Amino acid sequence: MGGADMTTTSEPRHVSPTESVLQSVIAAADRLRTPPEVVDLLRTSWREVRAQVPVRMDDRTLRIFEGYRVQHNGARGPYKGGVRFHPKADLDEVRALAMLMTYKCALMDLPFGGAKGGVMCDPTHMSETELNRLTRTYTQHIGMVLGVNRDIPAPDMGTNQQTMAWMMDAYGARYGYTPGIVTGKPVELGGSYGRDQATGRGVAICMRELARMERVAPQDIRVAIQGYGNVGSWTARIASEMGFRVIAVSDVKGGIWNPDGIDIAALDRWFAVAGSVAGFEPAEPITNEALLELDCDYLVPAAIGEVITEENAARVKARVVVEAANHPVTPAGDAILRAKKVLVLPDILANAGGVTVSYFEWTQNIQQFRWPLERVLDELEKRMVATFDELMTRAARDGTQPREAAFDIGLERVARAIQLRGFV
Ligand SMILES: NC(=O)C1=CN([C@@H]2O[C@H](COP(=O)(O)OP(=O)(O)OC[C@H]3O[C@@H](n4cnc5c(N)ncnc54)[C@H](O)[C@@H]3O)[C@@H](O)[C@H]2O)C=CC1
Ligand SMILES: O=C(O)CCC(=O)C(=O)O
């Protein structure tokens, strides 16, 4: 008998990322009595481009990667969402992330639909020149579905400002100089001040607002952060400036823990040389798995998806999980956290600062007018606080969890736009 035949029915069925997001959407549709035709439209993507991305590697061999751009729904405006370079960025994951963007943009009341891109590759094992070639080929092969008023990519995991500069350049070579085609570009090429820190700042603002609601001083809140890339590192910096006690951080190479609090400025100096948080002192080493189960108050997953599952959720000791990453908690993990009365601030709120400043960047590009940093941060602050308040008020009114309230608000707006535009 083959291995597949020995699978027992008692093993938990794997729920794909897309199925997970759909569970939240369908539950919201049931609460809101959304017309079935609207829900049917939202179950699948408007358009999915799957592109071959052949790259001549530095050793002259040819590797053929697979890339995607998924446009989920554009009823509220041009498609918007990041591009992920990661070995696990397959079509299902990219589709799920595109769906999340639809509801995130709607929750923040941004005039965008939802999209996401990805290339299945490991950027940590590629040279700068290989990444440059990969990015250009990917952009050429999906370029026909992009456009300033059609679809505007941005950075996500494994991509950064440099990737956006290459995308802008490759798009411009074919369609003409178009800074507004991507956001998260270097400031020198029309990027917005503050986009680099925007996602982490949004996460920290949510933490501060929750602490205010709980009437607990940030100084009395111990924070553990998984991931020290764009989102994790800016969250650590800004949260510690706000007074939170960051007691643990990690990256793919390992983590560090100091119950008295980590000096984030000193950690940044260490990171600049070592290229990892691992090894920083004074602190104890800690694994990524142990960080998720650490005795702390706010746990902030800020790296990959699906790290809190039915396997480990029961051992989470934090009383709050702030989803800085996209989809870090599976539905089964979520149910366990809920039963334990762990409050979860959902990704479509917590990490929405990034796309919000991307919207400001796009606006600045269209107007050919640059905002000073103070204006960007002030507008971000107002939008994050207003949406946090709206979501928490809705959750209290309806007796729902924050994730449910977030999807209720998002879906209501998307469904209304679908009907107004006559999609159904
Ligand atoms: N960059 C942005 O503006 C936004 C990012 N996000 C989400 O935030 C998360 C992180 O994105 P970025 O910070 O941009 O990515 P990044 O590529 O800058 O950093 C990723 C971090 O995660 C760590 N990491 C990778 N694999 C890991 C693993 N298996 N275990 C532990 N740590 C691991 C890396 O070492 C690195 O520290 C992703 O889920 C992304 O979708 C969400 C909204 C906006
Ligand atoms: O800045 C953007 O346009 C999108 C950021 C993103 O990919 C996300 O919020 O997950």
Side-chain angles (χ1 to χ4, degrees), residues 196-265:
D196 50 356
Q197 59 168 286
T199 309
R201 182 168 288 277
V203 175
I205 291 171
C206 288
M207 289 164 53
R208 188 199 63 205
E209 291 305 296
L210 184 66
R212 207 196 303 267
M213 222 176 93
E214 295 184 316
R215 296 178 196 278
V216 182
Q219 288 74 9
D220 295 329
I221 296 177
R222 298 160 305 153
V223 180
I225 304 174
Q226 183 186 56
Y228 206 73
N230 173 275
V231 179
S233 68
W234 278 106
T235 301
R237 258 166 239 138
I238 296 166
S240 92
E241 272 166 31
M242 288 175 176
F244 287 95
R245 184 144 54 102
V246 179
I247 61 161
V249 297
S250 68
D251 58 38
V252 72
K253 294 182 183 155
I256 52 166
W257 169 57
N258 181 341
D260 296 329
I262 294 165
D263 177 346
I264 301 298

Side-chain angles (χ1 to χ4, degrees), residues 3-320:
D5 296 327
M6 299 184 63
T7 309
T8 66
T9 49
S10 59
E11 282 176 15
R13 191 178 71 85
H14 176 72
V15 179
S16 77
T18 299
E19 282 179 279
S20 299
V21 177
L22 276 175
Q23 280 185 18
S24 292
V25 177
I26 289 164
D30 286 346
R31 283 189 295 276
L32 301 169
R33 297 181 207 285
T34 309
E37 288 183 335
V38 171
V39 182
D40 282 345
L41 200 79
L42 291 167
R43 280 178 201 271
T44 53
S45 318
W46 180 256
R47 174 157 52 189
E48 297 184 343
V49 177
R50 180 179 173 149
Q52 215 180 38
V53 188
V55 178
R56 182 67 63 194
M57 306 301 278
D58 292 343
D59 65 4
R60 305 305 301 151
T61 57
L62 185 76
R63 284 194 59 192
I64 302 173
F65 298 94
E66 193 157 286
Y68 314 98
R69 185 69 185 172
V70 174
Q71 298 172 335
H72 173 247
N73 183 273
R76 287 177 46 86
Y79 298 98
K80 188 86 189 80
V83 174
R84 176 174 289 200
F85 289 175
H86 192 269
K88 291 195 179 141
D90 63 10
L91 183 55
D92 186 83
E93 180 173 89
V94 175
R95 186 184 291 138
L97 293 167
M99 285 180 174
L100 283 178
M101 287 308 302
T102 298
Y103 303 103
K104 190 184 299 182
C105 292
L107 173 66
M108 296 306 295
D109 206 9
L110 307 177
F112 290 133
K116 202 84 177 194
V119 179
M120 255 200 282
C121 66
D122 184 354
T124 61
H125 286 99
M126 292 175 72
S127 71
E128 180 96 349
T129 50
E130 288 168 343
L131 286 170
N132 186 339
R133 286 195 285 273
L134 176 129
T135 305
R136 285 173 190 281
T137 307
Y138 169 68
T139 308
Q140 281 160 12
H141 294 190
I142 63 159
M144 74 296 275
V145 300
L146 304 182
V148 177
N149 291 308
R150 184 172 296 228
D151 185 348
I152 309 118
D156 188 73
M157 206 159 71
T159 59
N160 54 27
Q161 292 188 5
Q162 178 60 74
T163 323
M164 293 307 112
W166 291 328
M167 284 193 83
M168 180 185 122
D169 191 60
Y171 184 87
R174 178 165 296 184
Y175 301 98
Y177 182 69
T178 321
I181 189 60
V182 287
T183 58
K185 312 176 276 293
V187 169
E188 299 89 325
L189 296 179
S192 177
Y193 290 118
R195 175 60 185 86
D196 50 356
Q197 59 168 286
T199 309
R201 182 168 288 277
V203 175
I205 291 171
C206 288
M207 289 164 53
R208 188 199 63 205
E209 291 305 296
L210 184 66
R212 207 196 303 267
M213 222 176 93
E214 295 184 316
R215 296 178 196 278
V216 182
Q219 288 74 9
D220 295 329
I221 296 177
R222 298 160 305 153
V223 180
I225 304 174
Q226 183 186 56
Y228 206 73
N230 173 275
V231 179
S233 68
W234 278 106
T235 301
R237 258 166 239 138
I238 296 166
S240 92
E241 272 166 31
M242 288 175 176
F244 287 95
R245 184 144 54 102
V246 179
I247 61 161
V249 297
S250 68
D251 58 38
V252 72
K253 294 182 183 155
I256 52 166
W257 169 57
N258 181 341
D260 296 329
I262 294 165
D263 177 346
I264 301 298
L267 175 63
D268 280 338
R269 287 193 293 277
W270 167 269
F271 190 96
V273 177
S276 169
V277 298
F280 175 77
E281 288 180 339
E284 299 288 321
I286 185 172
T287 64
N288 267 291
E289 294 72 30
L291 181 140
L292 296 170
E293 299 171 16
L294 195 65
D295 180 17
C296 64
D297 300 297
Y298 289 10
L299 173 62
V300 186
I304 52 170
E306 301 194 340
V307 292
I308 300 175
T309 67
E310 74 265 28
E311 297 295 325
N312 62 356
R315 296 191 296 275
V316 166
K317 294 187 192 65
R319 57 189 169 77
V320 174

Side-chain angles (χ1 to χ4, degrees), residues 368-380:
Q368 299 190 7
F369 183 80
R370 171 160 281 157
W371 296 3
L373 178 64
E374 297 69 32
R375 176 165 178 199
V376 172
L377 298 187
D378 183 50
E379 299 261 355
L380 173 64

